[in-house]
């Protein structure tokens, strides 16, 4: 779905999974600094939006999600995963309940598969699931923003800012009064800095929550009764995840960023060394320079200098080995 904000001056369209919104509006670092200062907004209108209504909505979702939501207070934001039977991550939901309806936004083009799964699990529960992507657009206001929110708009507020479920018809008029606009590249650079994983970027077909640090924020360890829970409990209590997420400071003298999938190796072994992981996301930060997230084997020494496709990289621990 192409955002109308792509018609704004300086807008450069994003590519890949974020197609449909702006990568930037002409000045990546200025846009990052504005967000870091609590100003502006990010157009996330390409993300999927779904709602769950009905008297059983929270108790039903509690049976399906990795998060404890049966007693979720109205207005409290949370995030949750849906796992496969083997404990691999299939969906990530960013949700809030407004007292009558659970609102969630998800990765672009994943809402149809997610809704199909939810519909298959309704059974006798009093719930209704709806795809609201055509009617509502997600807009992100950074932490510290004093921007007003129109009456009736559902807000999901976290330490990182506020996500608004804005009527799609109001997107242009709201953005006009609450600039400056920041593109998805600025938003992603701050996400990388914050070590926050993203479905489809830090995940592949065999990723489990422990590898990304999603235990706690998206997975509640004191609840069961959801698909994949056995794997979560077994790895937490008896084993160790095979991989771990790391944050990388990349050599700033390189012109090009390593793209997702770029092999990560020990610097001591050089380019001919054995691959120990891969880049998941990379970006340019207004203060830190080129940075990235990567998945590496658990036994990679936490203080070892690395190479990302030939680019020198110093690591910070995100998930302890």
């Amino acid at each position: 779905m192409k955002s109308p904000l792509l018609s704004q001056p300086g807008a450069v369209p994003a590519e890949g999974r974020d197609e449909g919104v702006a990568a930037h509006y002409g000045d990546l670092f200025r846009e990052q600094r504005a967000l870091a200062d609590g100003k502006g907004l990010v157009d996330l209108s390409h993300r999927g939006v779904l709602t769950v209504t009905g008297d059983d909505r929270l108790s039903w979702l509690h049976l399906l999600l990795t998060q404890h939501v049966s007693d979720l207070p109205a207005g409290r934001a949370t995030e949750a995963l849906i796992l496969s039977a083997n404990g691999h991550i299939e969906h990530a939901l960013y949700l809030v309940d407004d007292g009558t309806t659970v609102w969630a936004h998800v990765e672009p083009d994943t809402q149809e598969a997610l809704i199909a799964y939810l519909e298959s699990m309704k059974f006798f529960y009093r719930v209704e699931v709806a795809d609201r992507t055509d009617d509502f657009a997600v807009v992100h206001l950074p932490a510290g923003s004093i921007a007003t929110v129109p009456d009736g708009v559902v807000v999901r507020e976290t330490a990182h800012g506020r996500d608004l479920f804005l009527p799609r018809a109001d997107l242009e008029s709201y953005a006009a009064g609450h600039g400056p606009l920041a593109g998805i590249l600025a938003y992603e650079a701050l996400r990388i800095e914050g070590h926050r994983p993203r479905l489809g970027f830090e995940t592949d077909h065999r990723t489990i929550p422990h590898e990304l640090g999603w235990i706690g924020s998206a997975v509640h360890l004191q609840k069961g009764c959801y698909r994949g829970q056995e794997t979560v409990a077994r790895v937490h209590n008896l084993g160790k995840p095979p991989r771990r997420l790391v944050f990388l400071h990349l050599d700033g003298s390189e012109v090009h960023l390593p793209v997702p999938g770029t092999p990560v190796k020990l610097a001591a072994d050089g380019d001919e060394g054995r691959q120990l992981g891969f880049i998941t996301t990379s970006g340019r930060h207004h203060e830190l320079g080129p940075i990235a997230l990567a998945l590496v084997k658990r036994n990679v020494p936490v203080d070892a200098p690395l190479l990302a496709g030939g680019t020198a990289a110093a690591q910070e621990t995100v998930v302890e080995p």
Side-chain angles (χ1 to χ4, degrees):
M1 186 173 293
K2 185 177 179 180
S3 172
L5 300 187
L6 283 172
S7 63
Q8 294 295 310
V12 175
E15 298 178 346
R17 292 187 179 95
D18 288 320
E19 183 180 3
V21 296
H24 60 83
Y25 294 89
D27 192 334
L28 170 62
F29 292 151
R30 177 185 58 78
E31 294 164 29
Q32 282 187 39
R33 287 191 290 269
L35 293 179
D37 290 339
K39 301 173 183 177
L41 63 83
V42 183
D43 176 14
L44 299 178
S45 62
H46 62 318
R47 292 183 64 81
V49 176
L50 61 99
T51 58
V52 182
T53 55
D55 292 343
D56 296 334
R57 65 189 184 282
L58 292 176
S59 58
W60 175 67
L61 285 171
H62 186 77
L63 299 175
L64 304 177
L65 305 180
T66 57
Q67 188 59 272
H68 197 299
V69 297
S70 60
D71 301 315
L72 185 67
R76 179 178 296 176
T78 191
E79 56 188 272
L81 308 174
I82 288 180
L83 307 180
S84 72
N86 294 321
H88 301 138
I89 299 170
E90 292 190 344
H91 293 282
L93 299 84
Y94 301 84
L95 54 91
V96 65
D97 185 83
D98 68 3
T100 61
T101 303
V102 172
W103 292 78
H105 64 81
V106 298
E107 288 297 325
D109 300 322
T110 66
Q111 68 271 16
E112 290 187 5
L114 173 58
I115 290 173
Y117 169 71
L118 294 176
E119 288 286 351
S120 73
M121 301 300 291
K122 285 171 64 172
F123 303 116
F124 55 84
Y125 290 94
R126 296 169 296 174
V127 293
E128 293 296 332
V129 183
D131 185 348
R132 308 301 301 277
T133 308
D134 288 344
D135 301 319
F136 289 89
V138 179
V139 170
H140 175 77
L141 302 175
S145 170
I146 60 173
T148 57
V149 177
D151 291 341
V153 170
V154 176
V155 178
R156 180 181 176 274
E157 185 167 5
T158 71
H160 311 298
R162 291 176 288 169
D163 297 335
L164 278 55
F165 293 90
L166 192 72
R168 192 169 288 275
D170 298 339
L171 179 57
E172 281 189 279
S173 60
Y174 185 80
H178 296 84
L181 295 173
I184 196 70
L185 291 183
Y187 181 82
E188 282 289 280
L190 298 181
R191 177 182 72 82
I192 297 170
E193 178 194 17
H195 305 169
R196 300 193 301 274
R198 182 177 170 189
L199 182 78
F201 288 70
E202 279 60 59
T203 66
D204 57 21
H205 66 283
R206 59 191 180 96
T207 306
I208 60 176
H210 315 68
E211 297 176 320
L212 304 183
W214 250 329
I215 300 297
S217 63
V219 179
H220 196 289
L221 291 173
Q222 303 305 315
K223 71 174 290 273
C225 302
Y226 61 87
R227 190 173 67 176
Q229 185 267 339
E230 296 83 357
T231 298
V232 170
R234 184 171 62 253
V235 173
H236 179 73
N237 295 316
L238 302 176
K240 297 177 180 178
R243 303 177 297 182
R244 60 185 181 88
L245 188 67
V246 296
F247 173 82
L248 299 180
H249 294 273
L250 301 172
D251 180 1
S253 65
E254 297 289 340
V255 175
H256 300 290
L257 289 171
V259 299
T262 298
V264 172
K265 304 175 182 179
L266 290 176
D269 295 339
D271 288 337
E272 302 303 317
R274 180 167 58 95
Q275 181 174 343
L276 300 174
F278 59 92
I279 296 293
T280 59
T281 314
S282 60
R284 298 189 185 277
H285 191 275
H286 69 287
E287 291 181 340
L288 301 177
I291 55 177
L293 293 174
L295 270 178
V296 300
K297 293 182 181 295
R298 177 177 54 83
N299 58 2
V300 172
V302 296
D303 56 351
L306 303 175
L307 284 177
T311 299
Q315 58 173 313
E316 287 184 10
T317 300
V318 177
V319 175
E320 295 286 346

